[in-house]
Amino acid sequence: MSEILFIGLSLSSILLLIALGLSITYGAMGVINMAHGELVMIGAYTAVLSGIYLNLNLFFALPLAFVVSALVGLGLEKLVIRRLYGRIIDTLLATWGVAIILQQLIRLEFGLSFFGIHIEGLGPGLQNMDVPAFLTQPFEIAGIPIQPYRSFIIVVTLLLTLLTWFLMYRTSIGTQVRAIMRNPQIAAACGIDVRRVSAFTFAYGSGLAGIAGVLLAGFKTVMPDMGASTVVDGFLVVVVGGVGSLLGTVLASALLGQINGVFAILTNDILARAVVFGVVIAIILWRPRGLFAFKSR
Amino acid sequence: MTRTKLFKYGDWGIYILFIVIVLGLPLVMTDVFWLNRIAKYLVYGMLGIAIALSWGYAGILNLGQGLFFGLGAYMVAMSLKLQSYTSLQQGSDTPVPDFMLWNAEPGAPTELCCITSGSWLWLPFQAQWFGMVMAIVLPVILALVLSSAIFRLRVSGVYVAIITLALVLLVRLLIIDAQPITNGFNGLTDLGWLTIGGFEFDPYLVSTYYIVAVSICVVLLATRWLVSTRAGLILQSTRDDPNRSRYLGYDVAAYQVFFFTVSAGIAGFAGMLYVIAAEFASPSFLDITFSISMVVWAAVGGRSSLIGAAIGAILINTIEATASETEMFREAWKLIIGVIFVAVVLYMPRGLAGLARDAVGLFAQTRDSGKTRTARSGAPAE
Amino acid sequence: AGEIEVGVLFSQTGGLSIVEKSLADATLMAIDEINATGGVNGMMIKPIVEDGASDPKTYNEKASKLVIRDRVPTVFGSYTSASRKAVLPVFEKRNSMYFYPTYYEGFECSKNVVYTGAVPNQQLSNFIPWIINTLGKKKFFIVGSNYIYPREMAKVSKILIEQNGGEYVADEYLELGHSEWGAMVSKIKDSGCDVVLSNVVGDSVVAFYREFKNQGLTHDVLPICATVTSEIEIAAMGADFAVGSYTSFPYFQAIDTPENKAFIERYRAFVGDPKAVTHHALESSYFQVFLWKQAVEKAGEATPDAIREGIKGQTFDAPNGKVTVDPDNLHTYLTPRIAQWGADGQGTIVEAYPEPVRPMPYVAYGETPDNLFCTAQGLDSSKL
Amino acid sequence: MLSLSNVDSFYGRSQALHDMTVTAPKGEILAILGRNGVGKTTLLRTILGLTDRSEGVISLDGEEISARPTHERARAGIAYVPQGRMIIPDFTIRDNILMGGFAAGGPRRIPDIVPELFPYLMDNLDRPGGVLSGGQQQQLAIARALACKPAVLLMDEPTEGIQPNIVEQIEEIIIRLNRELGLTILLVEQNVTFARRAAGSFVMVEHGTAVETGRIDLLSDDMVAKHMAI
Amino acid sequence: MAAALTIDGLEVDFGGFKAVDGMTTVIDEGELRVVLGPNGAGKTTLMDLVSGKTPSTAGEVRLFGKEITNWPEHQIARAGVGRKFQIPSVFRDLTVRDNLNVAVSHEPRVFRNLRLGMAAADRSRIDEVIALTGLEPVLDTIAGDLSHGQMQWLELGMLITQQARVILLDEPTAGMTQAETAKTADIILRLKGAHTILVVEHDMAFVRKIAERVTVMHMGKLLAEGPMARIEQDPAVREAYLGSGGVH
Ligand SMILES: Nc1ncnc2c1ncn2[C@@H]1O[C@H](COP(=O)(O)OP(=O)(O)OP(=O)(O)O)[C@@H](O)[C@H]1O
Ligand SMILES: Nc1ncnc2c1ncn2[C@@H]1O[C@H](COP(=O)(O)OP(=O)(O)OP(=O)(O)O)[C@@H](O)[C@H]1O
Ligand SMILES: [Mg+2]
Ligand SMILES: [Mg+2]
């Protein structure tokens, strides 16, 4: 029983890891960032490359990937997103294009492959990140087997969630972000530097994607299109939770992760996936704005 | 000529031009390969029309249009599969798809009724017309049920997109998992040709091209008529302000359901034509990337212009094909496509159709600029 | 003199390009080598490379471009069954030849396709008995990606397991391309099996082996015996995670012959990557071009019909040893081998058939060497 | 002193202000008058840089602000009470008021004058702004603007939709804000009687341009009839 | 005269807060009734309840004797109730003309509307409305480009086009000049008799011009009802609403 719960919990934490960044960029900024998965991918490649060239392990790769993905996100915000605020579907379409571009850039090694230059760690192939041995060796506490890597992911996700909650609801910048999310014009008229705060927010959400990338690289293949499949799951979580509600995102990932885990154990993984999609549809039909949505008059 | 009139005539001019080109193409293009390829792109053009109808006119973004396309494709592919030479070769009286044999339990009877569990679902598809009818009917029924739930419960905006997205993922999963009756991931291949009155429609024949070409012209004109009717106008009003429409006495959900369903029917029809032209059906038709691509085509062409969306689809696919077949771009073509998508959204938010309208508008403005000015800033005159 | 145009159709973009690019490279290298030694009947081979973009729709379209517009008599290409199925109608109805280099599930008998990868009997017929008799493992947990190849492999395996006195505990599937293995590995752990037969494909493989270790399973106690895990996946997951596990293939990079060593050298030089790995489908992509060349030379002309006749019975000394095209079913005789993976990411060949094994694409349906279902005239359906 | 000279302003491609020149003297109320749709709201929005694009010179106390982004103009001391109020629905009344504090700089707090002016708001600080009635929201919007510690207040029809006794109060408040706190106020107002009582000068807008300006006592009934009748 | 609209003990509870609390009033056919009340008294909410936007938690609404409580919005509209919102609500992406075209709504069903053009009678009604509201110069303008005031007129025009028998108007003169307000008053007066009209307004000058019977709400309840002249003298009303008294 505890094992099933643990599997559900680790599924939940991975969903949350991806959804957290989306919940910021989508929930707070109204940007459906289809390139979020590619920011995850960039985080994963950061871990791979920092392992190859800088000999850094996972723990140093985490902050580094945050910075790299945040910078890419910042660039994306300045070049593309900035012109699209308030046009939610357009953000989806444009970032879809961006996703294709980012994937292809990694595959073509930033275009260097045209000139026959090869960068180890990039290219179309499969890459991997080394995980420190103590994170792959399971151990027991009081007879309960502990999987260190999964537990590590759960802890990091928890910390990131708390940090994000604190930033959004307990700091002045969080208030500014939420004000902009409701009405950028009035926010500006109240002295909030909309451009800067938006850029910051987007970079932060992107940085979270980078961290997710590193953690995913610990148990998944690193490859150019690794992120594409994650982003849809992330959106389902954010939407089911209620756009703009951090609590909703957390609970939705917990719910969907557990459902997935329980059904996977009791029946099989395929059916579990199907059930998760079914539940998503049912929840949206039942609560057309997600589980935790703000109701205006 | 006033601006509005100019738009109207310009609009009709483009429709006529499009139809003339589409129908006249075989006269100048003798390469059967290209004719077949264009036929496939015309099918994509129909998908563009379906998207524009629901997205542009009803404000309903369907990110799962591939579901209806895929179902349409599978329906007709089932019929054509049973007409395939190999299906008649499996040592039974009724045709049996070859893949059912290796998916069956050893020793199962080699009859369509009972070779695998669920294979009886294939029985009616022995009649070709059944598959063709179902290619439209099934998407329509599914869309009707789905959209009734969605719109009666007042799900709107991005949430509709997410539901359709989740549904297409779900159905794709089920199709792949139901391998004994769907051939799973490999899809339905090795199909017979569409046969009408003894005539076999080889996909590389001009007559097959004409099936598709005439279809898109009919769909284009029919949808155009549909949006010009009062119902079309009311639909557009529900997009702008559904509450206002309700207080005018319209059952908003009924309009949304109707047009969503029409759009799904068109997608199903397109799926059917695609199978006729490409000779296979695959669960990849239900990939999310495909469904999103359709939306992007429509955006490039102009999301609120039926013909624009059709042209967008045809254009993008032609560019993709030519770029990927050019030695220089073989690896970079996707990069180029990505850049085009981003650029269009940023710099041409209303797509090609918007560009065309602006051009016409500019032309009209230089002709009678005074008139438009007053119309814009005018307060009620004394 | 003159030129012969051939099609080379692999995914240069999209998810499958990871593997397919290497297959395209191997094909192009073979073409280069043939051209360097005077071509085919004095004619240079001119490859027309197209991108299948990891999408069956694109595959179908590009195949028809190659066959109908470019009128090539032969196309070398594709990796997944789904893409092969999507191009098949083009080759059969327009009569052109398709050379398919990948191991696949069988159940195909087409006069327009030459199959140079392994079919189930060439991967399993020595593998299962060896697991039971040599490794001494009897309880199988069969796991795979959810599509036809793994399901067919499971079916053949079950027959073989039964014949050899083992038992199978379960067979379970995960969505293709999915990489969340938590629940599955936990099931494996609780199932009481003593060996895992893996038909998992693609990048899911990596996640599988990693999760396997993370949950505390080891290959010396509970080995994974795989039919798909190749040098590519081993390199991708980090060799640590696979040390001690097994794979069955006709070709491994580790095959210790001068021919293979030279082949690897040439390949690495060709792609400009001194660490590039070679693997089964890659090797088939390479040697099938030579088989094709011999067929054209034998037939004297490069029309599809001539090639089909010419290819029957062709033999070539490939990096993995002697390969021969079965004149009856256009599949290829290959030598099954089993390797155990080491810490350097290379296999150690622990078992090899003494000679190439006859390909039997319908083995799961009771095909035997004495009773072939696939004949020179096509499938003999009366035998099914 | 806030002044605009030769300002054009645009929404997308359509021009809403044409060559607008007007000055609001320091410490005075400037009444902005005109029919519907002539560009009064646009004038205020242009001052804050909230239209899509504008040309010409806007200066505050001699310093040009036309090139600056909106938030800097707000920080320079221009606060806005918009038509339609624009309350953030899921912020509490407190948070809505405190939003103004981003322009004021320093720690954000509710200005001392707010409890006195709007007791209802102070009693309901934790209700979400979204459920308030129109009049309540109007009060909230004024309170928010005051939290900006403004030197110049832009008010767009502040009494629209307010019950008569509160209208009276708001009118008194406007006058007090001007007379006691010395705020410069640009007031869009349809009630000419009140405009005459409160304002020091006026500008009459028609077709996006200032057709008459001057001291308020120069605002004749003829002018009102000419420019504000139907 | 028959009762056009009967509101009987109507109540709505927003999680403990009763925005409308046992409100009762009867409006006769052809009557023009003004509803007054402080901000937050529940006037808009009352209209929400009558028009079906918000479901009530107790009480009844009857339209010409037929109970319509908590019907779906479009059916209430179909039964004859038209409504103008406090924040102008028009179809912002359609032209002014198309807004009016949509408002001609005697046939609600989808399939019946699958036709081009419109009946001559409808067209002439639209022309009348255009003349009445003076929207002629902006007919081809996209409604979203109209100024606030122009939108109010358009919305009013749509109600007339709709041929609602009972019209609910929530602050129809908000943001209008005095002259424009006067013209709006004229329009409303001209509609009186043919339509039953319920107006919410704070502009007392306007109210005086049009009002006969007046209903005053306070804290969700009926505070006073009667002819304008008497209401203006009512001390409770002066205290809660008109006079120079406290906010609430
Ligand atoms: N967002 C917008 N986009 C395009 N045009 C606009 C926009 N807002 C206003 N306009 C146009 O600008 C002109 C001026 O509008 P504005 O709102 O400034 O008028 P106003 O004087 O404030 O009117 P009112 O008294 O009705 O509030 C109008 O003709 C209107 O059509
Ligand atoms: N959905 C809701 N949830 C909670 N409270 C609400 C809701 N809708 C309205 N209210 C409250 O009900 C009260 C009545 O609001 P209403 O808008 O009906 O007032 P009104 O009489 O129209 O005021 P005004 O004249 O300012 O427009 C207000 O106090 C408001 O806060
Ligand atoms: Mg205004
Ligand atoms: Mg109200």
Side-chain angles (χ1 to χ4, degrees), chain B residues 229-232 234 249-251 254-255 258-259, chain E residues 74 78 105-115:
Chain B
T229 61
R230 277 190 58 72
I234 294 164
Y250 298 112
D251 182 1
Y255 284 82
F258 176 75
F259 281 90
Chain E
H74 70 275
R78 203 74 0 241
S105 63
H106 40 79
E107 181 47 72
R109 272 163 299 186
V110 182
F111 288 95
R112 294 287 179 79
N113 276 315
L114 288 177
R115 56 186 175 78

Side-chain angles (χ1 to χ4, degrees), chain D residues 41 83 156-157:
Chain D
T41 300
Q83 192 169 25
D156 201 346
E157 308 200 22

Side-chain angles (χ1 to χ4, degrees), chain D residues 50-94:
Chain D
L50 288 173
T51 56
D52 294 343
R53 186 165 64 88
S54 69
E55 286 159 13
V57 177
I58 306 170
S59 60
L60 177 66
D61 294 332
E63 200 181 329
E64 185 172 344
I65 56 168
S66 4
R68 297 215 225 150
T70 301
H71 70 275
E72 283 186 23
R73 301 188 200 192
R75 289 177 191 176
I78 304 176
Y80 183 36
V81 180
Q83 192 169 25
R85 296 131 200 164
M86 302 193 184
I87 298 304
I88 297 191
D90 56 341
F91 275 25
T92 58
I93 292 181
R94 176 187 289 107

Side-chain angles (χ1 to χ4, degrees), chain E residues 1-2 4 27-33 64 164-167 186-198 210 212:
Chain E
M1 241 191 278
I27 298 148
D28 289 332
E29 186 163 358
E31 186 184 345
L32 194 168
R33 175 75 62 90
F64 300 104
R165 296 171 72 189
V166 174
I167 295 181
D186 284 345
I187 296 176
I188 292 176
L189 286 171
R190 275 175 41 200
L191 297 177
K192 193 172 76 172
H195 303 260
T196 307
I197 305 173
L198 193 67
I210 61 168
E212 299 161 340

Side-chain angles (χ1 to χ4, degrees), chain C residues 293-327:
Chain C
K293 167 189 181 251
Q294 293 173 12
V296 175
E297 283 173 347
K298 180 177 164 202
E301 57 171 346
T303 63
D305 292 328
I307 292 169
R308 181 182 311 111
E309 283 315 308
I311 199 79
K312 290 178 181 166
Q314 278 306 333
T315 292
F316 180 72
D317 281 319
N320 88 73
K322 196 170 96 149
V323 296
T324 309
V325 177
D326 188 325

Side-chain angles (χ1 to χ4, degrees), chain B residues 104-118:
Chain B
E105 292 302 318
T110 46
E111 292 294 332
L112 196 51
C113 64
C114 20
I115 175 165
T116 60
S117 70

Side-chain angles (χ1 to χ4, degrees), chain B residues 41 89 102 191 324 331, chain C residues 21 61-62 93 155 381:
Chain B
Y41 296 170
Q89 281 272 301
W102 56 81
L191 309 178
S324 68
E331 288 178 68
Chain C
K21 254 176 114 73
E61 205 175 306
K62 300 295 183 191
K93 297 196 176 128
K155 198 186 262 174
S381 56

Side-chain angles (χ1 to χ4, degrees), chain B residues 338-355:
Chain B
V339 171
I340 291 180
F341 288 172
V342 177
V344 165
V345 176
L346 286 183
Y347 301 108
M348 288 168 45
R350 290 177 304 136
L352 295 172
L355 215 61

